[in-house]
Amino acid sequence: KVFKLVKEFWEKNQGTEEVEEWFTGNTYTNHWESPTWMLDVGDDNLFGGGSKLKNSIWEASRHHLQQWTSQELTPTSLYGIRKYTDGAILATHFDRLPLVL
């Protein structure tokens, strides 16, 4: 179900991604050479985007994530679909707590 929600959103909005802004000194990606693009699922201006889609994705994944982690989870963040361009590198890193499983 999660894949279906995200796939439908992508198909309706592909081509409207925006270049991501990374803070100075960020080395998670080599964005200065190969920009990353974001299609924000929370963007109300995109077809099917907004809080309803974010909530649907969360509800469709909640049970599986809680079963996998053996934890009761609270939604904190959900961005969207990131597109990497040719030559992009995603460095090994840890996302900031408490936003990660």
Side-chain angles (χ1 to χ4, degrees):
K1 175 141 180 159
V2 174
F3 180 76
K4 181 181 178 193
L5 290 167
V6 174
K7 182 175 185 271
E8 286 176 1
F9 177 73
W10 172 257
E11 289 172 346
K12 292 173 184 173
N13 295 287
Q14 185 178 8
T16 63
E17 309 91 282
E18 295 184 6
V19 174
E20 281 190 287
E21 298 287 329
W22 294 91
F23 63 85
T24 302
N26 183 293
T27 58
Y28 288 173
T29 71
N30 59 332
H31 57 90
W32 55 91
E33 290 182 9
S34 300
T36 57
W37 297 73
M38 176 61 69
L39 192 58
D40 183 355
V41 296
D43 187 340
D44 291 317
N45 296 314
L46 296 175
F47 188 77
S51 59
K52 182 177 178 184
L53 177 60
K54 286 177 78 168
N55 290 335
S56 295
I57 292 170
W58 169 246
E59 289 305 322
S61 60
R62 177 195 303 256
H63 171 75
H64 302 289
L65 294 171
Q66 290 184 158
Q67 189 175 37
W68 175 50
T69 62
S70 300
Q71 300 288 320
E72 184 175 334
L73 303 175
T74 301
T76 56
S77 62
L78 177 61
Y79 301 111
I81 302 168
R82 179 174 289 137
K83 184 171 80 172
Y84 295 90
T85 55
D86 287 340
I89 297 170
L90 176 61
T92 302
H93 67 279
F94 291 98
D95 287 337
R96 64 189 186 278
L97 293 174
L99 301 180
V100 294
L101 295 175

